Amino acid sequence: MSAGISGDVDGAAEALEPIWAIPGDHRITGILVRAAQVRRYLSQPVFHGAHLPTQLRERIEDFTRASAPYQLGNHQLAVEA
């Protein structure tokens, strides 16, 4: 994932912008997997304490919680995917 973001958190925030509008029932595994990859990348120690990475991680978690797999009780798929 680091090659995709290349340490550019502002670019990551901009790239993530379109996904926030995806309805929960359309948040399929592929989208959730990619969002989880970004969240893991932003969880690196280098980003600890930084406002934007923290905000993005929280938003990704909220995005995942509102997904159909998570709402249907498949938290493993939604969170670990």
Side-chain angles (χ1 to χ4, degrees):
M1 187 64 211
S2 60
I5 295 177
S6 299
D8 180 6
V9 178
D10 291 326
E14 187 175 325
L16 288 167
E17 198 59 40
I19 76 161
W20 306 137
I22 297 172
D25 60 338
H26 289 113
R27 295 176 188 179
I28 59 174
T29 301
I31 294 167
L32 298 174
V33 166
R34 195 67 173 147
Q37 290 172 333
V38 173
R39 185 180 54 75
R40 278 191 299 275
Y41 177 77
L42 294 172
S43 296
Q44 293 180 66
V46 68
F47 297 118
H48 286 194
H51 178 71
L52 184 56
T54 300
Q55 182 182 23
L56 290 173
R57 285 193 314 268
E58 291 171 357
R59 192 149 188 204
I60 291 168
E61 289 173 16
D62 291 342
F63 177 83
T64 299
R65 277 190 219 104
S67 71
Y70 192 93
Q71 294 296 315
L72 294 171
N74 194 344
H75 300 200
Q76 185 70 22
L77 172 63
V79 176
E80 297 296 328

